[in-house]
Amino acid sequence: NNQAFVEQFDERGKYALTFPPSDNANESGNDGTITLLNQFDTPANLYVTYMTTGPPPTLYPKVQVTILPTKEQPQKSFYFVTIDPTIYWKGAKVHISVTKYIGLVPPGEVIIQIHPLEITQLPFRVVALSLNGGDVDEEEDGFLMTDVGYGGIK
């Protein structure tokens, strides 16, 4: 039951994969999934780029991102990361995209489930996914800022 859909959210031609909340944030029926293929021979670092606002309160919901087992990797246990799309950026009022490290994903098909944990003014919006097969130096707070204009899902 994939409730995610591609949406143009800005008149300048910006698109996102949108994950609307259910009427009850505790329900799992409105979870959206993304299936991607890790073509590396080894596990790869998965990053999700999403829209965020700050200072609080944010316009976007907190979500739980879960990496699910697949037919190719049924023995792999799933894990999850909670994303809080609130950003504190030098005290400025911002509406930008942020890239967050999610974790290692195995080679082959990977299913990413996104579950909104609350109802907010706007739905959760993913603007890019990235896989990196090498070592990456992490920012201390676990995310890297990017500009929405540099790529997206269309």
Side-chain angles (χ1 to χ4, degrees):
N1 185 16
N2 196 351
Q3 299 296 321
F5 60 93
V6 175
E7 171 186 41
Q8 181 176 350
F9 67 93
D10 183 287
E11 66 278 353
R12 295 172 287 180
K14 296 178 182 178
Y15 290 80
L17 189 56
T18 299
F19 294 84
S22 64
D23 293 333
N24 178 353
N26 292 322
E27 289 180 6
S28 60
N30 265 12
D31 293 351
T33 59
I34 302 168
T35 302
L36 65 90
L37 181 62
N38 174 5
Q39 295 182 341
F40 293 103
D41 294 335
T42 60
N45 298 296
L46 172 65
Y47 295 85
V48 174
T49 303
Y50 56 93
M51 295 303 300
T52 183
T53 61
T58 183
L59 300 175
Y60 297 102
K62 291 178 184 170
V63 297
Q64 181 175 294
V65 178
T66 307
I67 307 303
L68 299 173
T70 65
K71 292 176 190 172
E72 292 178 359
Q73 304 281 338
Q75 73 283 4
K76 299 289 182 184
S77 60
F78 65 88
Y79 63 92
F80 67 91
V81 173
T82 300
I83 293 177
D84 179 354
T86 304
I87 185 132
Y88 300 89
W89 196 51
K90 302 177 185 176
K93 184 175 181 180
V94 294
H95 192 167
I96 60 174
S97 65
V98 170
T99 300
K100 181 170 181 65
Y101 175 72
I102 300 301
L104 284 173
V105 295
E109 187 177 276
V110 177
I111 299 173
I112 304 158
Q113 180 183 59
I114 297 183
H115 173 70
L117 297 173
E118 57 190 353
I119 297 171
T120 55
Q121 184 175 340
L122 296 173
F124 189 74
R125 292 179 173 148
V126 172
V127 295
L129 295 172
S130 304
L131 285 176
N132 181 303
D135 293 330
V136 177
D137 290 332
E138 294 294 327
E139 292 290 321
E140 184 174 306
D141 50 11
F143 64 83
L144 306 166
M145 288 195 301
T146 61
D147 184 272
V148 164
Y150 293 104
I153 300 171
K154 183 173 182 181

